[in-house]
Structures are given as structure tokens and as C-alpha cells.
Amino acid sequence: MAVNKPLSSHDAMELDKDCSIVLELSESDPLFDKKKKLLQDMGFSTKEEIHVKRSSDPNWISTSLKVMLQIERIINSDETELYFAGDEPMDMYGPRNELEALNSILQLVESSLSSACLMQKNVLQEFRDAIVDMMSQSGNKNILETTIVEGYNSDKEIKLLQWGENNGVKTRLEIAYVEGAGRGAIATEDLKVGDTALEIPTSLIIVEELVQADMYHALEKFEGISSETMLLLWSMKERHNGDSQFKIYFDTLPEEFHTGLSFGIDAMMVLDGTLLLDEITAAKEHLRAQYDDLFPALCKDHPDIFPPELYTWELFLWACELWYSNSMKIKFPDGKLRTCLIPIAGFLNHSLDPHVVHYGRVDSATNTLKFRLSRPCNAGQECCLSYGNFSSSHLITFYGFVPQGDNLYDVIPLDIDAAQDDFTEGSSISNWTTHMVRATWLSHNCNIFYYGLPSPFLDSLRRARSPMPHTKDLLPENLKNEIEILEDLRAICDDMMDNLGDADLDDRKNTNWDVKLAIKFKDIQRSIVSSVLTSCYCGLKLVKDELSKCLAEDTPVSKQI
């Protein structure tokens, strides 16, 4: 039977030693002022020292973690998250932000563990275990079922994995065809937080140094040509090189990439009335101008280096889609950030709730790129990473898909001309120069003065009506003003819905992949606008009911005769 020994005086002193974690918002953050304001509104400074010490409170760990998470969510947030954050609960930042914040805290705790004394290590270890458990629980809430399509021939992918393993790749993943996602990376065993799902040596990463000297010299005369463009042109030729080191990799690439850049006329017609139409058109015009600057001049001047049959517009577009949809920005030990193609890693699909969020830095000790898990991935489940905080319009244009679930970055930008100097009293974030809306069902604050809509946008509408500072008091003049701005917004959304057209007129029987994707995007846009309209109607009812109460209270009761 174990006996609890009393603490020695030395142990007691060690236990009393203060152990703290410092959370700090960098002054170089481009959103420093907005984040600072939001932190201050929540009672925090830009540098907070959280004391990690056992307490008589049994919930001391969860209490400390809750505070740290509130701070780190803001520190890790981007512009869109900040815009919608003002009056919302902290869990509205989304699963990716949650994992980023927990990862940041975990790194700080693990850094403190390395220099802590024995008793502090015990406390910090408890803290670390609680963070990892929270990351695991976060993953359990958002598990998407992975359905493998049986009978898919994956010989090329199997050969690629074998080639990788023969050249130093370490993987706990296999390639399979996933229903609704195409080819994906499936965990071959249960993976927990911190496990490395995939490790790739730098020798297998396609970087700018691979561009041959003769090609490099031929391209030198083109002023301002980027290393990414050089790699793009190199890959067009390397794709057909039977002796290429990366032949097995190129053999696994599709003959066609189904991204928005390959949309046909029917799909573009479906997109009429959306900003995605403009986005795809502008992107294709840019690429066409880039191609025309290079060809046919390069083929004419250097036919041995740039054979005309390998450098057609169609093949150039294919290479652009390859690099847009498969490349990753990686920081190397020399401090340089390079755009790379990474064989095998390209099979890791995007998710709004990814397993891997940090993968952009080469480990200098092993000279490998490691894909470590930020939440668990069970055997047979698709292992996903995050391509970034992108809207569905961006993902369609450059990647060719719409993610599963509610994308917090599916926003509709709005052009509102309003003064920017004053802001509504109590507003968390002021001085926004651009405005946007997203699906209002994502909001938890549908109360009067909020309606599930972003406060910066509502404040801009209020300023457009009157430049005087506004309060959120239930006064008749404020309520009348609210009715006017909600009517204005309803009129704006009615016009937007008209521009999107009737859903029943879209060619839903058309089996073309691009038309289906275009219809899916347009449906997302309609659902966003429809949600805003619903919020306007509900908000108007709320405000009018409140105004009736106010007016009734102000009306004197008639004397009885």
C-alpha cells in the first residue's frame, strides 16, 4: 500500500515557485490595432502572463485554459474572423482557429516544460495533457464519415508510395478513392495528437533549384519572371521526360484538372450574377496574358529547350492548375520561403476541420517535412489538412471543389459608402473600410441591434443614416433608425437575389462537372442572401414590437369621465 510522504521543505519551495505562460500579441501583426481593441474589450492586454499553479479549485486547469484560449483565438484570428467576432461567443471562430490556438498554447507549455524544475514539470504535464485532451475532444465533435469507393484501381498510387518509401518517405497513410472527394490519404492506424502522419525528405520536394541551367538562362531576359513561373515551365517539359527523377509522380497526375480555370461556357453562364464569374474571368485573362508574353517567343528562340508541342496554351493551363491546386509554401532551414510540389503530400485533401494545421516548415534536424496531427485521426479515416482560410469561390477557382460543412469564409462583400471616423458606442471593432455578410445561421446573437449580422456592417448603415454617434438604448429614435436600416438592407438583398436568378432555371440535369460545381456555388450564394433577408424580417418584427411598447409607455392614459 502506497503511503503519501509529507513534502520536504525543498519540495514545498519548488511547488511554490511561480510557473507562468506568457501570451503576447506581436506588434508586427498587420491586424494589431483591431486585435488589441478586441482584447481590451474582453479585459486583456496585448501581453498576458498566465500563472500555472495548482489550486484548491478542482477546475483550475480548465479555468486557466479557458482564459488562454480566449486570448489565443484572437491572436490567431484573421481579418474575416475579427470582422464577425465583435459580439459573438468565442466559439464562433471555427475549428481551424480552435486548433491553431490550442497548438500555440501547447507549444508554449512544451517550451516551458524543457526548462522547468521537477515540481513545475508535474504541473505543466497535467496542463499539457489537458490541452491534448481538449484537442482530441474537438476532433470528436466534427468527425466526418469516410466512405471508400471499392474497386478503384490505385496501382499508380501504390507505386508512388513504394517509390517514396524507397527514397526515405515515412508514412502511416495509404491512398484511396474517397466518395465526394476523389483521391485522398487514409490513416492505416489510429493516430493521436502529435503523431507524424507523413514525413518527406527535402530531396523529394520539387523546388526552384531543379530548373535546368539552360532553361534558366533562356528565361533570364524576361524581366520580373518569378521562380514559380520557371518551375511551371520546367514541369511542363519534365512531365514528358521518361528519365525524370519524378516520373512516377507525374504519372499519377490527372490528364485534366477540374478547377474553375477550366469552366466551360455553360458553367460560366450559370455563374452570371456572381462575383465568382468575375474572379474566374480575371484569373484566366491574367494567365493568358502571361502565356502570350512567353510564347511563341520562347519556342521560336529556343526550340530545343521549349519544344512548341509541349508549350501550347492548353498544356500551360494544365500546369497552372497543377501548381495552384497542389503546391505548398514551405520555409526551408536557410529561412527562404519556397513554393513547392510535394509528391504524396498532394493527396492530403482540404477540410474545414483539419487534422494537420502546421506543415509549412522543414525540420532542420532531420531535413524533412513533417505532417504532424493537431487532432486524432482513426484508422480508415481520411487524414486532411487545411489549404488556408479560403472562401468557396477561391477553392472552386484554384482547387475545383466546395468543402463539406459550413464555411465561415463564404462571405458576400458589400460596397457601403459611409463615414469611417465615428462608430457606434459599444462596438468592439471600428474603422472597417470594407464590409461583408455571411450566413446568419452561423451567428448566436440575433437580439435587437444585432440580428445575426456583423456589427461593423450595421454600424456603417447607421452612420449612413446619421453621422451622429449611436447608442444601443431602447429609445424610440434609435428603434425608428433600426427600422430604416433594416428596410435598406432588405432592399439591397432583394436586388442581390434578383441578380442571382431563379434556382429552378439552372440546368440541374446537365451532367458536366463544371455546371454542377457552378450550381452548387450559386446555391451557397442564394442561401447566404436568403438568411440575411430572414434576419431582416425577424429583426423588423423585433424592433417594431419594441417600438410599440415604448410608444405605449409614453402615451398618457385618458381620464375616465
Side-chain angles (χ1 to χ4, degrees):
M1 178 176 164
V3 178
N4 291 326
K5 296 181 180 179
L7 287 175
S8 68
S9 58
H10 175 72
D11 288 339
M13 287 175 62
E14 281 205 329
L15 189 58
D16 286 338
K17 282 183 182 177
D18 202 8
C19 182
S20 59
I21 305 292
V22 177
L23 310 178
E24 185 171 9
L25 172 63
S26 170
E27 292 188 11
S28 63
D29 191 315
L31 298 170
F32 178 83
D33 291 336
K34 288 182 170 67
K35 291 181 181 181
K36 177 182 177 182
K37 176 74 167 63
L38 189 53
L39 284 168
Q40 288 175 339
D41 288 347
M42 297 185 66
F44 302 121
S45 66
T46 57
K47 185 176 181 179
E48 285 287 338
E49 189 173 3
I50 309 298
H51 298 280
V52 181
K53 187 177 180 181
R54 278 199 182 91
S55 164
S56 55
D57 179 4
N59 300 315
W60 70 272
I61 291 181
S62 60
T63 302
S64 299
L65 263 180
K66 184 179 179 181
V67 173
M68 295 173 79
L69 200 50
Q70 285 180 315
I71 297 168
E72 279 296 330
R73 278 171 175 154
I74 296 172
I75 290 175
N76 282 279
S77 59
D78 60 18
E79 193 162 14
T80 300
E81 288 170 326
L82 286 177
Y83 184 82
F84 288 96
D87 307 292
E88 292 290 349
M90 294 307 296
D91 61 358
M92 287 304 294
Y93 282 82
R96 185 183 187 277
N97 178 283
E98 178 92 348
L99 285 178
E100 289 275 14
L102 286 168
N103 265 285
S104 298
I105 298 169
L106 184 62
Q107 288 174 12
L108 290 170
V109 170
E110 288 180 339
S111 176
S112 297
L113 263 169
S114 62
S115 58
C117 64
L118 180 60
M119 295 301 289
Q120 288 174 337
K121 281 185 177 179
N122 292 337
V123 176
L124 286 169
Q125 187 61 50
E126 285 184 49
F127 212 68
R128 182 194 178 281
D129 293 343
I131 296 168
V132 171
D133 185 58
M134 190 176 288
M135 294 164 88
S136 300
Q137 292 302 318
S138 170
N140 291 336
K141 288 186 295 185
N142 303 292
I143 291 177
L144 291 175
E145 185 179 345
T146 301
T147 303
I148 307 297
V149 179
E150 299 296 338
Y152 172 74
N153 188 347
S154 58
D155 287 348
K156 290 181 179 178
E157 291 78 13
I158 291 171
K159 287 179 182 178
L160 180 67
L161 286 175
Q162 290 172 345
W163 168 81
E165 290 173 355
N166 291 339
N167 287 276
V169 170
K170 297 176 183 176
T171 182
R172 298 157 88 174
L173 306 170
E174 62 184 2
I175 310 305
Y177 200 92
V178 182
E179 189 175 278
R183 292 181 297 183
I186 310 300
T188 57
E189 58 186 278
D190 289 344
L191 302 173
K192 59 183 186 297
V193 174
D195 283 349
T196 299
L198 179 64
E199 182 174 358
I200 297 179
T202 54
S203 58
L204 294 189
I205 297 177
I206 298 175
V207 288
E208 60 193 72
E209 285 78 10
L210 291 172
V211 178
Q212 292 96 337
D214 55 353
M215 182 177 285
Y216 182 83
H217 293 312
L219 294 169
E220 274 186 315
K221 68 174 184 177
F222 287 87
E223 187 177 347
I225 191 166
S226 66
S227 58
E228 285 88 350
T229 301
M230 291 185 185
L231 269 170
L232 187 151
L233 298 178
W234 170 86
S235 62
M236 291 173 72
K237 189 175 181 180
E238 195 72 6
R239 176 189 180 191
H240 300 281
N241 179 6
D243 297 323
S244 171
Q245 174 193 357
F246 299 99
K247 182 182 185 307
I248 291 178
Y249 166 66
F250 281 107
D251 285 346
T252 63
L253 297 175
E255 289 296 318
E256 294 179 349
F257 284 100
H258 290 171
T259 76
L261 298 174
S262 291
F263 271 18
I265 293 175
D266 289 344
M268 298 296 268
M269 288 177 66
V270 169
L271 291 176
D272 187 37
T274 70
L275 289 176
L276 178 54
L277 177 63
D278 299 333
E279 186 175 336
I280 291 175
T281 302
K284 290 189 78 167
E285 287 175 352
H286 168 75
L287 294 178
R288 184 75 214 200
Q290 187 181 15
Y291 177 79
D292 290 342
D293 284 343
L294 297 167
F295 301 101
L298 280 173
C299 295
K300 197 176 292 183
D301 296 342
H302 308 280
D304 53 331
I305 304 172
F306 299 100
E309 67 274 12
L310 298 185
Y311 288 92
T312 64
W313 160 247
E314 290 74 19
L315 294 175
F316 179 82
L317 183 59
W318 178 92
C320 289
E321 290 181 288
L322 165 65
W323 280 87
Y324 278 135
S325 62
N326 280 265
S327 66
M328 300 179 184
K329 286 195 176 294
I330 303 299
K331 194 166 189 177
F332 283 73
D334 61 3
K336 190 172 182 180
L337 190 67
R338 294 175 171 87
T339 302
C340 315
L341 285 178
I342 307 171
I344 301 174
F347 290 113
L348 287 159
N349 288 322
H350 171 80
S351 173
L352 299 176
D353 189 16
H355 299 92
V356 180
V357 292
H358 292 149
Y359 55 90
R361 184 187 294 271
V362 170
D363 187 326
S364 56
T366 59
N367 207 29
T368 59
L369 187 65
K370 296 178 180 179
F371 294 80
R372 288 195 177 96
L373 269 67
S374 295
R375 69 178 183 90
C377 184
N378 298 327
Q381 185 182 358
E382 184 180 11
C383 184
C384 297
L385 47 73
S386 171
Y387 295 171
N389 293 333
F390 296 135
S391 65
S392 290
S393 63
H394 182 95
L395 291 169
I396 287 173
T397 301
F398 299 107
Y399 296 90
F401 69 89
V402 171
Q404 291 186 60
D406 288 326
N407 186 354
L408 301 182
Y409 293 88
D410 277 341
V411 302
I412 297 179
L414 299 167
D415 186 14
I416 302 295
D417 186 17
Q420 296 295 325
D421 1 344
D422 297 318
F423 58 93
T424 301
E425 181 185 320
S427 174
S428 298
I429 308 288
S430 63
N431 297 331
W432 290 94
T433 55
T434 58
H435 296 284
M436 63 192 100
V437 290
R438 70 182 178 193
T440 56
W441 67 73
L442 296 171
S443 172
H444 290 180
N445 191 348
C446 297
N447 297 324
I448 202 163
F449 297 114
Y450 299 100
Y451 325 111
L453 294 161
S455 287
F457 173 52
L458 290 172
D459 291 344
S460 73
L461 292 177
R462 292 175 184 125
R463 288 196 297 274
R465 279 279 170 187
S466 169
M468 299 298 292
H470 294 79
T471 65
K472 289 186 171 69
D473 296 321
L474 296 176
L475 302 173
E477 57 269 27
N478 287 347
L479 297 173
K480 289 175 183 177
N481 193 56
E482 291 298 292
I483 291 172
E484 290 179 349
I485 67 164
L486 287 171
E487 292 285 12
D488 288 345
L489 180 54
R490 186 168 65 177
I492 292 170
C493 288
D494 280 337
D495 288 343
M496 291 170 65
M497 194 64 90
D498 287 342
N499 288 334
L500 288 169
D502 190 342
D504 293 334
L505 297 180
D506 290 336
D507 187 3
R508 293 170 188 272
K509 294 180 182 178
N510 191 313
T511 56
N512 290 346
W513 65 270
D514 53 346
V515 173
K516 287 181 177 179
L517 203 50
I519 290 173
K520 187 180 288 188
F521 175 77
K522 211 167 181 181
D523 284 343
I524 292 171
Q525 298 289 286
R526 288 193 187 97
S527 66
I528 293 172
V529 178
S530 177
S531 74
V532 176
L533 278 169
T534 300
S535 292
C536 288
Y537 286 113
C538 294
L540 281 167
K541 185 179 185 310
L542 268 177
V543 176
K544 287 176 180 178
D545 287 348
E546 196 60 47
L547 180 59
S548 296
K549 292 178 188 175
C550 289
L551 295 176
E553 290 173 0
D554 291 343
T555 303
V557 180
S558 299
K559 293 181 180 178
Q560 275 188 326
I561 297 177

